Amino acid sequence: MSSRGNFSGRIGFILTAAGSAVGLGNIWKFPYLAGQNGGAVFLFIYLFCVFVLCYPVMVGEISIGRHAGLDAYGSYNKLGGKKWGYLGLFGIMIGIFILSFYNVVAGWAFGYFLHISFGDLLNETDFSSFFGLFVNDIFDLTSAKGLANSNFIFSMVFMAMTAFIVAKGIQKGIEAANKIMMPTLYIILICIIVYSLTLPNAMSGVRYYLIPDLEELKIQTLFEGLKQAFFSLSLGMGTLMTYGSYLKKSENITSSVATISLADTSVAFLAGLMVFPLIHFLQFKLQITEVAQAGPPLIFIVLPQIFHEMGPLLGRIVGGLFFLLVCFAALTSTISLLEVPVAYLVDQKKMDRKKVSWGTALLIFVIGLPVMASQGMIPALNNLPFYKGQDYLVFVADMCDIGLTVGGCLMCIFITTRWKIENMHSELENGNPNYRTSFLKKYLNFTIQYVCPVLLGILSILIIYDKFVGI
Ligand code: PHE
């Protein structure tokens, strides 16, 4: 195992796995999904999904990875034979597609960070049309700012940073980067929350966020909560299986997973606590009502407007820090996404980690080009006739979400029918001598064999039906 590299210990593993989990999902998606799905109602459904359905799946995924000590394909193949190996390949493909669109959005955040901190973005008056132009023309070489405004460059630099870290290996690259970025991320987040809670009308935002309105409860809220929980915890496609393969036998998986889930959930929760007071401050200041429902552009349109309202200096500081936070969160996730295909090529094809990291990153960047161009530059990609006129970015993101819940469901079936749950239990006893007689063992035994596969299976089918036909 040591020739593949491994984590230095408990803290390194937890920070790195939490780094994978904490990402755009928490800071970009969670607040707008909560905004669109009834605030507190969404929060509670999300928490239910995390603790009842996702916790067992995460434990299962990491156990498989640590037991096999290989990449996602290699792990399934070793424990279940060639047919199950395809499930690993399916996960690797999903990871590649997630990274292809994720890196584009991360590139936008990186561009916003530069434009707010060092440029004059906050002098804009119409942030909505700025965003439209920004994502539309990916090269934007015609404007006065030239290259400095090019989305293409921002995404490419972001992917290069990802490749650079992954190329350096597990401890010196991935773990070291996470050990710096994750604590910094928490500090920035807390600072912005403290500030946003002091703004006028902040408490109205807190109330909307924390007091459930049961009228908002719909079946789609459950779908959104489940998909978001899987995406946010990086489950269902082999990221945590791959990270688990670098974990020492002496570490306690069940308690590490509890810490990782809590870390991820707390950042999503705190991101909401940061964003809703800001939004309600803006509503108060401009006397408007509809911003809470802003959707995907929330952090790119509504938040800059708020930073603008704060005045030139404060806006630059708070806004710059906010987008730096987003970049850190995204980078710790893109690293984990790139590691999945890289580990596959290193383990299975015996290729050189450095070359493979850069080569795979380049390939995925190219796969992401249509995503970049789908925001207006190529009209056909902006309006997919078979997908209710939505754009290619939404389409890829939705398909990946479905891939994650299906992957999670099949993983539970794999553990139950092929690998056998007793093997998972004995893997979990490593590093946790009390596990054998614990209540947790009974809980996992029941959820992984019955609750998770059944509920995830039913919900995945309903989600697919809802996407293409509509409920
Ligand atoms: N969990 C990450 C986020 O919340 C995204 C991700 C999904 C990363 C799947 C790895 C695997 O942003």
Side-chain angles (χ1 to χ4, degrees):
M1 196 160 126
S2 57
S3 63
R4 302 172 69 241
N6 49 261
F7 290 112
S8 65
R10 182 180 155 80
I11 303 289
F13 172 69
I14 290 180
L15 276 180
T16 308
S20 168
V22 171
L24 295 173
N26 306 60
I27 300 171
W28 167 58
K29 270 180 126 182
F30 185 85
Y32 84 73
L33 283 174
Q36 285 175 329
N37 291 287
V41 170
F42 181 77
L43 180 64
F44 287 111
I45 290 195
Y46 176 79
L47 290 177
F48 167 82
C49 292
V50 168
F51 291 103
V52 177
L53 294 176
C54 296
Y55 178 85
V57 174
M58 195 188 293
V59 169
E61 213 179 300
I62 297 179
S63 319
I64 295 174
R66 183 169 79 176
H67 190 79
L70 287 170
D71 62 289
Y73 166 81
S75 294
Y76 276 119
N77 187 36
K78 181 169 168 184
L79 306 182
K82 213 178 164 81
K83 266 206 204 121
W84 283 103
Y86 288 115
L87 180 55
L89 287 182
F90 173 71
I92 297 173
M93 287 305 297
I94 299 284
I96 288 176
F97 278 98
I98 294 182
L99 184 53
S100 80
F101 79 80
Y102 201 91
N103 184 63
V104 172
V105 181
W108 298 346
F110 183 49
Y112 266 57
F113 164 65
L114 296 178
H115 278 307
I116 290 185
S117 300
F118 307 107
D120 50 10
L121 185 133
L122 291 183
N123 295 342
E124 291 295 322
T125 43
D126 184 351
F127 289 95
S128 174
S129 44
F130 176 84
F131 181 67
L133 288 173
F134 178 75
V135 296
N136 187 316
D137 186 351
I138 65 173
F139 298 111
D140 199 13
L141 299 178
T142 49
S143 84
K145 294 193 187 98
L147 271 183
N149 216 17
S150 162
N151 249 313
F152 183 83
I153 304 281
F154 293 141
S155 292
M156 194 153 76
V157 172
F158 209 89
M159 189 63 102
M161 293 193 282
T162 307
F164 177 78
I165 295 169
V166 173
K168 278 187 164 330
I170 302 305
Q171 258 187 48
K172 290 213 179 85
I174 297 180
E175 183 178 322
N178 274 284
K179 276 185 166 160
I180 301 172
M181 283 190 276
M182 287 303 287
T184 318
L185 181 149
Y186 266 97
I187 295 171
I188 300 179
L189 187 59
I190 302 285
C191 291
I192 304 182
I193 291 174
V194 170
Y195 174 73
S196 72
L197 287 177
T198 63
L199 292 169
N201 210 29
M203 284 308 136
S204 135
V206 174
R207 268 195 303 277
Y208 177 76
Y209 185 44
L210 295 183
I211 302 175
D213 174 1
L214 288 179
E215 277 177 16
E216 303 267 5
L217 191 59
K218 293 188 287 279
I219 183 82
Q220 277 82 2
T221 317
L222 180 59
F223 299 164
E224 293 302 330
L226 178 71
K227 286 189 296 176
Q228 172 61 9
F230 259 74
F231 183 83
S232 185
L233 290 169
S234 310
L235 287 181
M237 43 115 341
T239 297
L240 293 169
M241 197 175 286
T242 309
Y243 274 179
S245 73
Y246 305 117
L247 183 63
K248 292 180 187 152
K249 287 279 185 203
S250 53
E251 301 300 335
N252 180 337
I253 293 184
T254 49
S255 76
S256 300
V257 170
T259 315
I260 297 163
S261 315
L262 274 176
D264 182 63
T265 308
S266 65
V267 174
F269 176 75
L270 291 174
L273 206 54
M274 160 176 71
V275 167
F276 284 100
L278 289 175
I279 292 174
H280 283 246
F281 161 68
L282 187 73
Q283 288 181 340
F284 170 76
K285 189 136 189 190
L286 305 181
Q287 297 299 320
I288 45 173
T289 51
E290 75 278 15
V291 282
Q293 265 88 30
L298 179 77
I299 72 165
F300 295 104
I301 295 175
V302 180
L303 292 190
Q305 199 167 348
I306 295 165
F307 302 137
H308 171 84
E309 295 292 326
M310 289 176 180
L313 183 64
L314 199 59
R316 198 179 281 257
I317 296 174
V318 181
L321 278 177
F322 174 81
F323 280 101
L324 184 65
L325 165 84
V326 179
C327 289
F328 276 4
L331 189 56
T332 52
S333 300
T334 53
I335 294 169
S336 73
L337 284 161
L338 183 60
E339 175 60 21
V340 175
V342 167
Y344 166 72
L345 293 170
V346 170
D347 285 347
Q348 303 300 321
K349 312 283 172 205
K350 308 285 171 250
M351 290 163 88
D352 173 57
R353 170 173 280 273
K354 243 200 191 87
K355 286 192 192 127
V356 162
S357 304
W358 287 99
T360 316
L362 180 66
L363 179 73
I364 298 177
F365 177 73
V366 173
I367 296 178
L369 290 177
V371 175
M372 236 184 260
S374 72
Q375 300 303 298
M377 193 170 108
I378 299 182
L381 290 172
N382 192 247
N383 186 344
L384 300 176
F386 63 89
Y387 207 60
K388 299 183 189 149
Q390 305 205 62
D391 67 37
Y392 179 69
L393 166 62
V394 176
F395 174 69
V396 179
D398 281 350
M399 292 307 109
C400 289
D401 277 347
I402 293 171
L404 297 183
T405 51
V406 171
C409 173
L410 293 175
M411 186 209 73
C412 294
I413 295 176
F414 168 76
I415 294 180
T416 309
T417 64
R418 184 75 180 96
W419 189 36
K420 303 297 178 208
I421 194 100
E422 290 73 29
N423 288 318
M424 186 193 85
H425 290 317
S426 50
E427 182 57 45
L428 291 174
E429 279 171 27
N430 293 315
N432 183 1
N434 301 330
Y435 179 73
R436 192 194 302 254
T437 51
S438 64
F439 169 74
L440 185 63
K441 178 174 173 183
K442 296 196 181 78
Y443 178 74
L444 290 172
N445 201 53
F446 182 61
T447 45
I448 292 200
Q449 296 188 91
Y450 308 103
V451 182
C452 295
V454 172
L455 278 184
L456 289 176
I458 295 175
L459 286 170
S460 301
I461 292 170
L462 288 177
I463 289 171
I464 297 171
Y465 185 80
D466 188 42
K467 277 287 161 221
F468 288 94
V469 186
I471 289 185

